[in-house]
Each structure stands twice: as C-alpha cells, then as structure tokens.
C-alpha cells in the first residue's frame, strides 16, 4: 500500500472530525473553547498518570528482586551450603533469563554439571537447580534442587520410558511420554553423576 493511499484514508477519517469541530465552534465559541480546555486538562492528567505508571513499572523491573547477587561472588556461600559452584567460564543466558530467573550455562562439551537455574523471590533467591548429564547413560539427565527457605535438597532423574505403550483398564492403548521423571535419593543421584 502506498503512502498516498494511507494519507488519503487518514484525511477521510480526520476531515469529518475537523468539520464537526468547526461547526461546533461556529454555534457557540465560548462553550467550544471551554470544552477544549477541559479536554486538554484531562489529557494532561492522563499523560501524567501514564508516566507515573510506566515509571513505577520500570523501577519494579530494575529493582525487584532486591538481592540478585548470586553469581560467581556467591560461590563461597554455595560451598558452605553444599551447592555446586559456578566455574569461571560459565555464562549467563540473556535469552532465557528473566526478571526472577537466571540461567547459567557451561560451554561445550556439556558433560557433567552443565546448567544452573537460580529462581528469585521479591527479596532474595528461592531455589537453585543444578543439571547434570552423563554421556555414558544416553537419554538420562539428573538435577538437584536446593530450596533456600527449607534449607534442603531434592534430587530428580529423567530416564527413558521403557513402557512407551500401555493398555488402560478399558483395554485401549495409551501412548506414554518418552521419558519418566523420578524423585531419587541422594545416593542414586551421586551414583549417576560420578559414573
């Protein structure tokens, strides 16, 4: 669509409004100027309210969470808590990270400890999840999740599902997910990451 067509369509929409304002002004100029002043005051207040709203929203995005200082400098606290540390060559993924979540990735090859996700609340970090991959066991992943509020770990493992197809109680075939996520013990988890 060319610019001349857009301009003509704009004029077709705006011209009747200006014609109506002209006739309104001709019928009662005093009332017309009063309504224009009232409209200007309302528009000014609306712009101020919008500026305040967007300013507060931007400040919220920049300042919350209040403590997002859980990068490399937090490694000494991680060692005390028993959480795996970040290595110096790890990078933050700006593509995946959000206001309340930070993704750290190990460079290639990604065998062993390869990813860390830190989730934040308003005041401080909530959880820190560390992902592991063992190249000797294809199709499996393991991760540990540390909860800062409860001060405890949970361990998980994603395994290939050997039972891809099963039969329901009614005799119908059901296709299962290709992987199964299990909550595992600390010893099973450590066995997986050290093999």
């Amino acid at each position: 669509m060319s610019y001349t067509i857009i301009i003509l369509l704009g004029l077709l929409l705006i011209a009747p409004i200006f014609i109506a304002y002209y006739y309104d002004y001709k019928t009662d100029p005093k009332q017309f100027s009063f309504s224009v002043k009232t409209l200007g005051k309302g528009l000014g207040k609306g712009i101020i309210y919008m500026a305040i709203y967007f300013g507060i929203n931007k400040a919220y995005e920049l300042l919350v969470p209040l403590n997002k200082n859980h990068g490399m400098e937090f490694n000494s606290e991680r060692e005390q808590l028993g959480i795996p540390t970040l290595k110096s060559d790890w990078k933050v993924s700006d593509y995946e990270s959000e206001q309340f979540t930070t993704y750290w990735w190990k460079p290639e090859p990604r065998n062993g400890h390869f990813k860390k996700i830190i989730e934040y609340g308003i005041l401080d970090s909530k959880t820190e999840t560390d992902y592991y991959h063992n190249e000797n066991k294809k199709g499996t992943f393991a991760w540990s999740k540390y909860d800062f509020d409860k001060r405890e770990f949970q361990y998980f493992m994603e395994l290939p599902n050997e039972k891809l197809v099963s039969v329901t109680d009614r005799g119908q075939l059901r296709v299962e997910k290709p992987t199964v996520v299990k909550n595992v013990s600390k010893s099973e988890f450590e066995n997986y990451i050290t093999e």
Side-chain angles (χ1 to χ4, degrees), residues 64-101:
V64 174
L66 297 176
N67 182 10
K68 204 171 181 177
N69 194 18
H70 286 77
M72 302 284 184
E73 64 278 352
F74 193 71
N75 276 344
S76 58
E77 286 88 348
R78 282 189 183 97
E79 287 174 358
Q80 291 173 359
L81 296 170
I83 304 171
T85 59
L86 289 167
K87 307 298 184 260
S88 61
D89 58 345
W90 284 46
K91 302 286 183 218
V92 173
S93 171
D94 294 327
Y95 172 74
E96 294 171 299
S97 298
E98 297 172 353
Q99 182 177 0
F100 291 98
T101 310

Side-chain angles (χ1 to χ4, degrees), residues 3 11 29 32 83 134 162:
Y3 290 112
L11 287 175
F32 178 79
I83 304 171
N134 189 339
E162 281 119 30

Side-chain angles (χ1 to χ4, degrees), residues 9-50:
L9 286 174
L11 287 175
L12 284 175
L13 293 173
I14 294 173
I17 295 171
F18 281 119
I19 292 169
Y21 273 119
Y22 174 74
Y23 284 116
D24 188 31
Y25 175 76
K26 282 292 188 185
T27 55
D28 190 2
K30 204 176 222 182
Q31 179 65 27
F32 178 79
S33 55
F34 175 73
S35 65
V36 169
K37 287 178 187 175
T38 307
L39 178 68
K41 287 179 185 176
L43 186 63
K45 285 181 183 178
I47 290 171
I48 290 170
Y49 290 142
M50 292 295 284

